[in-house]
Amino acid sequence: QDGDLKFSLESVKKLKELMDENRHVNPRLVVSKASYSPCDEKSLPEEFQLVCKREDASMIFERLYLAVREADLCEICANAACAGCF
């Protein structure tokens, strides 16, 4: 969840994978976080399409990414983090 927007945990994990791939391709070729948009990815889950139309999309994606960046979080804890319960 980000504000009034809610997303499935699986979709947020897919978003994280896409953003990780973009950040670790090649240090010389990595696009800056500010100019990268997961909206350009064909495999972006459908539920993020409304976010892509918003001006604050990059901030929303970054907050969702940060919520699930801890690889060792259990499903329940990650879900709580996404809901802002920490």
Side-chain angles (χ1 to χ4, degrees):
Q1 179 176 336
D2 186 82
D4 60 340
L5 303 171
K6 294 182 182 183
F7 309 101
S8 70
L9 179 59
E10 289 306 313
S11 290
V12 177
K13 285 181 180 179
K14 180 64 178 173
L15 173 68
K16 180 188 177 299
E17 288 175 19
L18 292 171
M19 293 178 78
D20 281 345
E21 288 172 10
N22 175 264
R23 292 176 186 194
H24 302 302
V25 175
N26 180 329
R28 290 186 237 171
L29 300 175
V30 172
V31 179
S32 73
K33 285 194 305 185
S35 62
Y36 169 72
S37 173
C39 296
D40 298 332
E41 302 288 345
K42 291 180 182 176
S43 58
L44 182 70
E46 183 69 30
E47 64 184 298
F48 291 120
Q49 294 306 316
L50 290 176
V51 175
C52 290
K53 296 176 183 178
R54 295 174 54 130
E55 288 183 23
D56 60 346
S58 62
M59 291 185 295
I60 292 170
F61 288 135
E62 190 64 25
R63 285 192 298 264
L64 292 171
Y65 175 82
L66 293 173
V68 293
R69 74 173 181 215
E70 297 297 327
D72 61 346
L73 288 178
C74 67
E75 296 282 321
I76 294 170
C77 292
N79 200 12
C82 291
C85 297
F86 266 28

